[in-house]
Amino acid sequence: MSISRSRTLALVAVGGFAGANARWALGVVLARLLGPSAAASLLPTLAANVTGAFALGALLTVAAAGRLRAATKATAATGFLSSYTTYSTFAVESALAGTPALLAGNVVANYALGFAGAIVGRLIANRLLDSDGGAVT
């Protein structure tokens, strides 16, 4: 079933608003837990990117299986997860990391853990789909 462009726009906007706020809240919570340090300042973005890659891997696997409504995909993938994850912040934080080792570690961690998160998300979604424990919407 197709959804109208205006409804899609509204769903993406609502998802984007929620994702941006979730990303901000994650940063606030982790900053309080970890305290100030160069390495700790990189972890909120890493956490958002890895958990977002996991969620997107699972979500798109479910969508590819035809088990996700277009409205849910627009809200969750295009809206929420696009705002929750952040390549631009990752790039700037890496450039400003302070030392070459911290820069390299941040780049490797974001890419390696991001890919791993997406793969694990897909594996879990496939396992849940294979068990066919009910409709995923």
Side-chain angles (χ1 to χ4, degrees), residues 39-105:
S41 69
L42 302 173
L43 290 178
T45 301
L46 175 63
N49 287 342
V50 172
T51 58
F54 168 84
L56 189 60
L59 189 71
L60 294 182
T61 299
V62 171
R67 304 278 298 270
L68 192 69
R69 289 180 282 167
T72 304
K73 183 178 175 186
T75 305
T78 306
F80 185 89
L81 291 171
S82 292
S83 292
Y84 178 72
T85 60
T86 173
Y87 181 82
S88 58
T89 302
F90 152 65
V92 170
E93 286 177 351
S94 295
L96 301 175
T99 68
L102 196 51
L103 179 146

Side-chain angles (χ1 to χ4, degrees), residues 2 10 12 33 42 53 55 58 64 79 82 101 103 109 114 130 136:
S2 173
V12 169
L33 289 174
L42 302 173
S82 292
L103 179 146
D130 287 343
V136 178

Side-chain angles (χ1 to χ4, degrees), residues 110-137:
N110 269 275
Y111 280 106
L113 295 175
F115 281 121
I119 291 166
V120 170
R122 288 181 48 82
L123 290 172
I124 290 172
N126 277 322
R127 178 149 309 185
L128 291 173
L129 289 167
D130 287 343
S131 71
D132 205 27
V136 178
T137 56

